[in-house]
Amino acid sequence: RYVEVETDLDRLGLAEPGSPLPPDSMIDALGDLAGGATVVDGVTTEAGSDGPARVVSAAEAYGDPAFQRILTGGVPADLDRFAAAAQAFSSDGVFIHVPRGTHAPGPYVVDVQATAADAVSFPRIALVVEDGGETEVVVRLRSADGVAATIVPVIDVVGGANARARLTILQTFGDSTRSVTLQRMVAGRDGTMMLAEAGLGGRNARMHLTVDLAGRGADAQILGVYFGDHDRTLDYRYFMNHRAPNTTSEMALKGAVGDTAKSVFTGLIRIEPEGQKTNAHQTNRNLVLSEGAEAHSVPNLEILANDVRCGHGSAVGPLDEEQRYYLMSRGLDPVAADRLQVIGFFEDVLGRFPQQEFDPALRSIVTETYAGIIDRQSR
């Protein structure tokens, strides 16, 4: 309704792995890792683990029964054309398996890179946390500016009873890269799923997320920040399905757009008849920093049970003039006052990201993006 995908799969060939990108400062900030993998244009170039979790390439894991469950019960191939293409052409990726009752604190980092111009890749990332297991995974999505790559990451996370999975996605694709991330998370009885996502790049970047709270007492926390400048399009489609009683969920996303960028958030909370005693809420708030920018927020509820607590809220608007006046009365000039507002706008969400080691880098990107918008407006 609001977004032109601008990707014609018929015109793209499958990517051939190129040269890996230079080391990433965000990953370096984590220090010692428990393990991880590197995926270049859909092909896993290295994978391993020093911790209790098993980290292998998807090609190596193909015969594993746990991986086969992902292939048959993960992101459905009939979701859209991108999912169908991924089902047909994905040949590699990463499989992370946390055995039953195992605490694998991580972090495990999967560095997903797109380097091939005018081609498409379909990396698959699968995380299975068995009953009572716990782990923390970071997925880094990146490419260089000027590379007209197309990438369709498929990310499946499945947790058993009492499983705990924390997933962070950091997306800083280059200014010419188009991406469609397809993700599904499934939480079992008394399990917990947490996703923290930062969408700060790409020419046209979509994230389609489905969360299934399939077991009694399951809980999901979804956090997100996104910032678009130039003519980027950031497209979020989030679906939270409460399929069992006594489940809880929270979605909290904040975004900003400037120049002629566009953002779209479509969120749905669906509570099935079996989802009695559900407690669910979603919030999406947006700043529009330029006259040519657009932000669309479409929250939805679909409630089929009669004993629930559920709500949603959304807002789209400019910077607060009263806050600007207050800050200027304390000695700040207008530009500094507005910059402080932008940084503060993202504060409560960024402060809840699992890995606070990313905090300086994310704040720096937000500050630099806003500074660029102000510079272009002043010309």
Side-chain angles (χ1 to χ4, degrees):
R1 179 178 177 183
Y2 299 106
V3 177
E4 176 60 47
V5 176
E6 301 179 359
T7 300
D8 185 355
L9 291 174
D10 293 335
R11 295 179 178 273
L12 299 173
L14 292 176
E16 295 291 336
S19 300
L21 296 174
D24 180 61
S25 59
M26 283 193 179
I27 295 176
D28 292 342
L30 289 173
D32 294 334
L33 305 176
T38 300
V39 183
V40 180
D41 298 317
V43 176
T44 302
T45 59
E46 58 179 329
S49 171
D50 295 328
R54 181 185 179 213
V55 181
V56 297
S57 70
E60 181 181 342
Y62 189 78
D64 191 303
F67 187 66
Q68 285 295 320
R69 293 202 307 270
I70 290 284
L71 294 180
T72 57
V75 173
D78 61 356
L79 177 66
D80 58 24
R81 197 177 186 201
F82 298 98
Q87 184 78 3
F89 297 110
S90 178
S91 61
D92 207 352
V94 180
F95 177 53
I96 302 176
H97 186 205
V98 179
R100 181 186 182 98
T102 300
H103 181 210
Y108 297 88
V109 175
V110 181
D111 185 9
V112 179
Q113 306 174 16
T115 70
D118 303 317
V120 61
S121 60
F122 301 94
R124 178 179 289 275
I125 300 166
L127 168 62
V128 174
V129 184
E130 302 286 0
D131 293 355
E134 182 175 352
T135 196
E136 190 169 288
V137 175
V138 175
V139 176
R140 184 75 172 91
L141 303 175
R142 60 188 180 118
S143 65
D145 283 340
V147 178
T150 300
I151 183 169
V152 183
V154 180
I155 304 173
D156 287 295
V157 182
V158 176
N162 292 293
R164 304 285 185 270
R166 293 181 297 278
L167 177 66
T168 301
I169 299 177
L170 303 176
Q171 185 270 101
T172 58
F173 285 127
D175 55 12
S176 299
T177 298
R178 292 180 169 89
S179 68
V180 178
T181 300
L182 306 172
Q183 183 172 352
R184 187 178 183 214
M185 306 180 80
V186 181
R189 177 178 54 82
D190 294 323
T192 298
M193 290 285 168
M194 181 178 186
L195 169 65
E197 192 266 352
L200 303 170
R203 176 178 175 81
N204 190 315
R206 172 185 291 179
M207 184 168 183
H208 190 294
L209 169 69
T210 300
V211 181
D212 286 329
L213 300 176
R216 177 187 291 270
D219 172 72
Q221 297 180 53
I222 310 298
L223 306 173
V225 297
Y226 51 91
F227 202 160
D229 61 351
H230 296 289
D231 59 349
R232 301 185 197 277
T233 297
L234 301 174
D235 181 11
Y236 287 86
R237 302 171 184 230
Y238 280 16
F239 302 90
M240 182 72 66
N241 299 318
H242 290 259
R243 302 183 180 277
N246 300 102
T247 53
T248 57
S249 70
E250 178 191 10
M251 287 188 206
L253 278 80
K254 285 193 170 184
V257 285
D259 297 324
T260 58
K262 177 190 293 185
S263 71
V264 179
F265 168 79
T266 302
L268 172 66
I269 295 175
R270 178 181 170 90
I271 302 176
E272 300 289 352
E274 299 81 13
Q276 301 291 353
K277 305 293 185 182
T278 283
N279 190 342
H281 194 81
Q282 65 173 325
T283 304
N284 175 234
R285 305 197 183 282
N286 300 271
L287 286 178
V288 179
L289 303 172
S290 306
E291 290 186 4
E294 298 179 32
H296 303 276
S297 182
V298 189
N300 298 278
L301 302 176
E302 190 170 346
I303 302 173
L304 305 178
N306 59 12
D307 185 8
V308 303
R309 297 178 62 187
C310 191
H312 65 259
S314 71
V316 176
L319 292 170
D320 191 313
E321 292 186 3
E322 290 188 4
Q323 289 188 25
R324 179 188 298 130
Y325 176 81
Y326 173 82
L327 293 169
M328 291 175 62
S329 72
R330 296 301 186 269
L332 297 181
D333 62 67
V335 173
D338 287 351
R339 182 172 61 247
L340 191 59
Q341 277 199 71
V342 171
I343 296 172
F345 174 75
F346 292 107
E347 178 70 27
D348 59 335
V349 176
L350 285 177
R352 297 170 61 188
F353 270 46
Q355 296 86 13
Q356 285 301 295
E357 294 90 342
F358 297 135
D359 191 68
L362 293 175
R363 291 177 190 279
S364 177
I365 294 174
V366 168
T367 302
E368 291 173 6
T369 302
Y370 179 67
I373 293 170
I374 294 302
D375 180 63
R376 287 184 289 276
Q377 288 178 349
S378 65
R379 292 176 187 173

